[in-house]
Amino acid sequence: MGLEEKLPAGFLLTTVEGLAGYMRKSSLWPATFGLACCAIEMMATGAGRYDLARFGMERFSATPRQADLMIVAGRVSQKMAPVLRQVYDQMANPKWVIAMGVCASSGGMFNNYAIVQGVDHIVPVDIYLPGCPPRPEMLLDAILKLHEQIQQMPLGVNRATAAAAAEEAAMKAKPTIQMEGLLR
């Protein structure tokens, strides 16, 4: 006989971390950072057919101070990179980033000096979403996977340490333009 059997009906047992994870994942407010054609698909995800409001995300925030999820949709130019970092720094903690589309993830077909070869050189990315452009269903799937990550994240000092380590590792990574591979 466990504790669950002794409790009257209607009681729910959980941990503080579990409850906080549920609250955080259920109240994400994305920042609008649509830069190219992927932004059209991001807007379609918020429309009635795909209904992003089911997940508590009906409000795309135009100000970073009221957002905790940045969806970088499209290619990022070298001139836009400092602005992207500034918007990310102004977001409230905890914050998450989805790189939507192949251009945001790796520079895409634009392998030149003007386009950042992967937004992960500017901000730490939690979910990479492939495609050119990715469908709204794919963005919904990425958001659900991010929900799973948020649900499992620790609270307090453990979270701060993990976030600092992830950001440091992302900033020390070798730039994509310097990587050797099939195309070089």
Side-chain angles (χ1 to χ4, degrees):
M1 285 187 75
L3 179 64
E4 294 85 10
E5 295 168 358
K6 293 182 180 180
L7 290 173
F11 275 88
L12 177 69
L13 298 177
T14 186
T15 62
V16 173
E17 280 192 346
L19 183 63
Y22 178 78
M23 300 287 199
R24 286 188 296 187
K25 81 172 190 169
S26 300
S27 63
L28 288 177
W29 281 1
T32 53
F33 212 87
L35 298 168
C37 45
C38 291
I40 304 297
E41 301 295 325
M42 181 177 66
M43 288 182 249
T45 308
R49 182 173 188 153
Y50 299 100
D51 194 22
L52 209 51
R54 295 181 280 178
F55 308 110
M57 299 176 61
E58 65 271 3
R59 183 184 175 279
F60 275 85
S61 181
T63 173
R65 289 178 180 86
Q66 296 175 354
D68 50 7
L69 170 64
M70 177 185 284
I71 303 174
V72 182
R75 59 190 177 271
V76 179
S77 67
Q78 295 289 351
K79 284 186 174 184
M80 187 58 77
V83 176
L84 176 74
R85 182 62 198 206
Q86 182 179 12
V87 169
Y88 176 80
D89 289 338
Q90 290 176 355
M91 288 171 58
N93 282 325
K95 50 191 166 190
W96 299 276
V97 177
I98 294 177
M100 183 179 177
V102 71
C103 293
S105 298
S106 65
M109 64 191 99
F110 304 102
N111 189 7
N112 61 32
Y113 65 92
I115 302 298
V116 175
Q117 300 299 306
V119 75
D120 55 349
H121 297 296
I122 303 160
V123 295
V125 175
D126 296 294
I127 300 280
Y128 294 93
L129 180 57
C132 183
R135 298 274 308 140
E137 295 92 348
M138 295 172 69
L139 180 57
L140 285 175
D141 183 56
I143 289 169
L144 291 176
K145 288 180 180 168
L146 183 64
H147 281 184
E148 292 172 10
Q149 283 184 10
I150 293 170
Q151 181 75 41
Q152 303 304 322
M153 284 185 174
L155 290 177
V157 179
N158 297 333
R159 168 150 172 66
T161 306
E167 186 164 357
E168 184 178 335
M171 294 300 129
K172 286 184 178 178
K174 187 176 187 180
T176 324
I177 196 78
Q178 295 174 0
M179 291 181 181
E180 299 292 326
L182 296 173
L183 299 177
R184 294 183 191 265

